[in-house]
Amino acid sequence: MNGTPRLRSGYPTTPQIPKTRNEEHGGATGVASPKVPLPTKATKSQESQNPMIPFNLVDAPSQRLYVAFFYLGLIVWRLCDYYGLVSDETDSFQLFMKWVVIDGVVLYGLPGLKIPWLQWSSTTMTMLFALHAIFDYVLMFRVPVSRGASSETLVRSQLAQIPLEAWLIAFTRVFYDRELAVSERRVKPANVLHNASLILGKQIIHILPEGSAMLNPNQTAYCLDALTTSVDLPIWINQTNPILIELLRIDLDTNYNETLAIPAKDIQRLQKQANKQLPNRATTTPRYLMYPVKQTGLYRLQRVVDDSKLEVQRRVSDTLVVRCPSAHIKVVPETKCIGDLSDFNLQVDATPPIQIKYSKFVNNEDSGHAVLSIPPKRPVSPLVRQRTSGALVGLSPAAHADVAWARGQSIKLSVNESLGVSGHWQYSIDEVVDGCGNVVDYAKRRSSNLHRRHFLTELPLEQRFSVYERPKAAFRGCDSQHALQVPEGKSIRLPLQISSTGSENVAHGTYRVSYLFTSSAKMCSNQEHAEDSALIDFTSETHGSDYEINQPGLYTLQSIKSAFCPGEIMEPSSCLLSNPPEPNVSIETQNIPDRCAGNSIGLLVDLDLTGTPPFRLSYNIRRRGGPVTPRVTESNLLHTQLELRPTHSGHYTYEFTDISDAVYREPRSLRDQNLVLEQDVKPPASAWFLDPYPSRKTCIGEPVALGVQFSGEAPWKLDYELIHQGRRHKRRIDGIESSVYTLTTEELNTGGEYSLALIAVTDKSGCKVSLEQETKIAVALQRPKAAFGHIEGQRHILALEDKMVRLPLRLQGESPWTVEYRNLNRPDSEVARGIFKDSNDGIEVAEAGTYELLQVNDGTCPGNVDMTAIRFTVEWIPRPGVQVSESATTTLVGDKYSKTEVCEGDEDAVEVTFTGTAPFEVEYSHLVKPERGSQSSNTKRFTAGINVASLRMETGQAGTHHYKVDKVSDMSYNHDPHKFSPVRFEQRVHTRPSAAFVEGGKTYRYCKEGDAGGENVPIALKGLPPFHLEVEVRHHASSKPELVMIPNIESHKYSLHISHRLLSLGTHAVFIRKVRDAHGCQRQMGQEAPRIQINVAEVPSISALEAQADYCIGERISYMLSGSPPFNVFYTFNGQERKASSPTTNFRRLAEKPGEFTITAVTDQRSGDCKAHTRITKVIHEMPSVRVSKGRTATVDIHEGGEVEILFDFGGTPPFEFTYTRSSNPTKGRKPQILDTKSDISHDYSKTVLASDEGMYEVVAIKDAFCSFSTQKIAVKSGRKLLT
């Protein structure tokens, strides 16, 4: 209905809740409700509108309904309090404040639930609260409401009052309807007026119908087998008592028919069994006779005779009893390979049409169920078409019917499906259903122990298969193009890889493998097998083959087979095995001459290799007089060169010992070839730096020392040059005798990069050899320097105490720097040292003081400290503190401050001053030692935005108050208990005095003729005497109160005497307005001021509102009272004296019991014990009653034309007039309809009426000489009311 136009309204639209699936599809029309799109992202405004109780738990209309119920409950509760106020004269002010608070909480708390249509504005809520408060005031203070009077009153120029209390009491009785009866107990008027026991009993007459019978009315299917040898056919009979039953049976196999007669004796036995199942054993009650049969066939109810010798009407219904359906599996071998067909048969024996259900499990997982349907061979079977009647064969003559369609048939079903997954397969027959509806549940039998023994003897119902993977075989790492190379005479494992068709995992077991082999000598020119190749087979394990081969030739896989399944040959299926030649080497040499001296300085060896690369050649080098040094050279080529050039002079011998290649990995000895070379070697002069690093660093003005290694014959001459800024300085050193020499340069006084190069070297032979050795020298441009940096433009910082402070450094030079410093404020401390890697690093310190830099070194040189930035000062920010300012009201006494004494509830404060950085967080404890009771303490906190704050004193409770400031923290520091001293102060608070009437709320009553002096009113006072008391006396008819001052009351008890001049006829209220004690503390009484009432009244009177003297039970006896309520009414009922109270001028009692009711006296509130005696007598009569059929519901079954006597018994005072009705007999779901109404008169206490019509007879009205009662409507007869 979202598309329907709506008028504008101040109420928000009720939120729509998306319907659930059940709600969308559960309607009768089938129209789907529009879907409400779900929000993708909730905004803050949307979140604020979400209800407190989500709508998916309780929808919006239900929430509004619950709120309405809750509000009605509050109204009922309020009216009950009002009723108690009127009856018991309770305190009006307490009830008024109670309901004002409840209304405020409910009304202002309701918007918090965020229920649509109940979210009003603040103005609306205030108006509603004000209306409720006014209503509470009018109700609880019993304020009369005036209205314009009638024309008669207007003539008199007076105002009449609306009976508000009477209306409210009447509304309250809608929920709580109880009235005081003459026995002074509250009864419900409805129970007295509508007394159902006055008219009791009904007479129901049934006209019996004709009887009937039927065989198997529910069309239940029946079958017989080895477990079920007998079945009970139900014969339904109604309104009859049969003495003979005949059944027609047609044999299913031979079509032979026979009549089965059930004699009366067997029928009685079957009826007894049927009666046990029924609570009502009347012969007319329908029942089932269970007749057992043990033969299959078609059964029909042919004849039924009842005890009147007449045939009973029969309903045609044929019942088939067949052989129970059965099925089994013709088991086949269980071993299968993946991809094979299941290929097994199901054998079914049953009456068609047949359904068979079987399940399939693969590797213990349910793979579903299959249902096979088998139609009958003869399509004329009535089991396959819809039945329009209970007959399965022709009605006449049924004895010659052909029932061949009902015979059981044996059918074979083939199950053929591919077994595509390896593992365990299981087929199980679960259920067989025949054409009659008989079900054999084999699955239930398997899980039940009831038929387990018989089930084990049945034919097989399960077919299991073990499905295996088919193996696959191929060569790995070898084919016809990439041969396996094996050393001659060595064996190798056949590189066979075995896997499966279903997965890469191969089942454990052995495999039979065959291959075709042709030797290398017999292979064809096209690398194919020869005609006389050999077929060889062997057994292989799961993950490969341990079968070894060593003959060169072509190997081709032919077949593979596991223990269960043949396999498949994959590619590569061929592998070529070859034996390469053994490795060898031949050598040729030539000398390497020195170009200066002509001496030999080494050998150049040519190596010619044969075999399969890569090659590994081993040789030994031996210097005469020295040890043997083994060497190895490797080559991927068949021809290579080897250069042998020693660094020292002498006689050298070179011997080649062994060789290996890629195939022949074991080294082959070459010693039998005597490959030995000898040579005398004199190496040329040379020199080089010992330090492998190409660059060094040094300080400005310092020399550099470098180590040099020489070769050749000593002595040596070394030429070198030093290069800087493009200028070269050449130097020569002569007479160097040692092969290791330290070269030292002059002082390097200019910063920058230097290059030191070795130019040439000359040895003993005089040959000068040029060199290409050079190294770099980095000389620092200046020495390192250290200084303190600035923080916010100065070398001074204020920091938090005990916090780590970073002092900035400014460093020049090469990283890292080592800086030494000290704290001048601690001269006894050791010098601190730190290593810094950044030129703008800092020193971390945790102590206040002035820090001074002492020394700096970088990674290469010592440095200097900048004297203008040598110091840095660190100071701590002061911690927070608190002090109390002394004044005339605050003085220091010992270690704590004392405040002047005050009265309870007076305002007072103490001023505190803070040190530190605002704002301040203050925590203080407050300990109260009251004058009575146990002490209590609490902790409070506040925040001060400036350095001065006022601490409010707690004066709400009398006693000694101790205050202690425990914690102070500011913007810079948290509280530290070790560095803070608590501040304490205390104050004495005196209790305010109080005064109250000892009997508060009591009403003192005086008769008009009573003592003029009055009574003394006791008052109790609390505080320090003497007291000063102020009392107010107010008359209800006067707006001006009278004040009474009472000074100097020296005790805590005082008797107040109300002067007679302050009292007049009517009600007076006496209030205590003010009290003051010796401390000067004063208590001003407000609306809760203690009060009493004094009533001066006249003697009351009572009169009957009705002139009649006779009343019936259920009627109300009413009187009018005059005087001051409440009244006490004294009366006697049936000789027993009673006393009753009336809060109003009306006195009424419900006539609950018969008897004599007499008013004897009355008193009111003002008169107290002054009674007004009278005698007003009323007689209460009992209500007439009637009993039909002795007050019970009697049911009588009669045949058409019979009669029944209906007995009426009366109670009350004759004569009796009564009205009775005949209604239709009650049926389930239908209200009885009134068919006839009759009236009659009886002068005795019983009467009998004859009836022959079917229906329900009951009395609806009764009247005797005084009273009447009806269950239908109000009628007026003879001036008397007919009660309903």
Side-chain angles (χ1 to χ4, degrees), residues 10-11 67 107 110-111 115 117-125 128:
Y11 295 103
V67 170
L107 291 177
L110 184 59
I115 302 174
W117 297 6
L118 298 181
Q119 294 178 274
W120 301 305
S121 64
S122 58
T123 303
T124 304
M125 296 303 300
L128 289 175

Side-chain angles (χ1 to χ4, degrees), residues 201-206 1188 1193-1195 1206 1220-1227 1231-1236 1253-1259:
K202 297 178 183 179
Q203 180 69 57
I204 300 176
I205 299 176
H206 286 291
V1188 181
T1193 300
T1195 303
I1206 303 176
Y1220 63 94
T1221 62
R1222 181 175 66 89
S1223 305
S1224 60
N1225 286 332
T1227 58
K1231 185 177 180 181
Q1233 300 294 324
I1234 297 178
L1235 304 176
D1236 191 11
D1253 295 329
E1254 184 178 46
M1256 180 173 62
Y1257 295 81
E1258 57 184 337
V1259 177

Side-chain angles (χ1 to χ4, degrees), residues 546-562:
D546 55 0
Y547 183 73
E548 293 187 349
I549 55 175
N550 57 8
Q551 297 183 11
L554 182 62
Y555 296 81
T556 301
L557 295 175
Q558 296 297 308
S559 65
I560 183 171
K561 183 179 181 181
S562 67

Side-chain angles (χ1 to χ4, degrees), residues 830-844:
E830 296 181 357
V831 175
R833 181 179 289 104
I835 298 176
F836 306 95
K837 296 182 179 180
D838 192 292
S839 60
N840 294 304
D841 215 328
I843 300 175
E844 301 285 343

Side-chain angles (χ1 to χ4, degrees), residues 783-812:
R783 291 186 177 274
K785 182 185 290 186
F788 277 119
H790 293 87
I791 296 180
E792 297 181 356
Q794 57 184 355
R795 295 184 181 90
H796 179 276
I797 186 173
L798 284 175
L800 296 177
E801 185 178 351
D802 297 334
K803 297 294 183 181
M804 193 67 68
V805 180
R806 187 176 184 271
L807 307 183
L809 290 176
R810 300 297 178 260
L811 302 173
Q812 297 178 6

Side-chain angles (χ1 to χ4, degrees), residues 686-743:
S686 181
W688 60 91
F689 290 113
L690 291 177
D691 192 351
Y693 296 101
S695 179
R696 352 186 115 63
K697 295 180 179 180
T698 187
C699 297
I700 188 171
E702 294 182 358
V704 177
L706 302 172
V708 179
Q709 175 75 48
F710 293 94
S711 65
E713 292 183 281
W716 291 275
K717 295 179 182 180
L718 180 62
D719 294 326
Y720 70 96
E721 61 182 1
L722 188 62
I723 306 169
H724 178 60
Q725 295 181 353
R727 291 178 292 180
R728 296 176 179 269
H729 301 278
K730 293 186 178 181
R731 302 287 188 271
R732 172 176 288 184
I733 304 175
D734 297 328
I736 300 174
E737 296 293 337
S738 175
S739 61
V740 178
Y741 179 76
T742 301
L743 175 63

Side-chain angles (χ1 to χ4, degrees), residues 511-540:
Y511 298 88
R512 193 68 183 173
V513 184
S514 64
Y515 65 90
L516 198 64
F517 172 71
T518 301
S519 64
S520 300
K522 297 182 179 180
M523 287 177 56
C524 300
S525 59
N526 57 358
Q527 299 296 314
E528 294 293 338
H529 286 282
E531 294 182 356
D532 57 349
S533 58
L535 182 63
I536 303 172
D537 58 352
F538 65 94
T539 300
S540 175

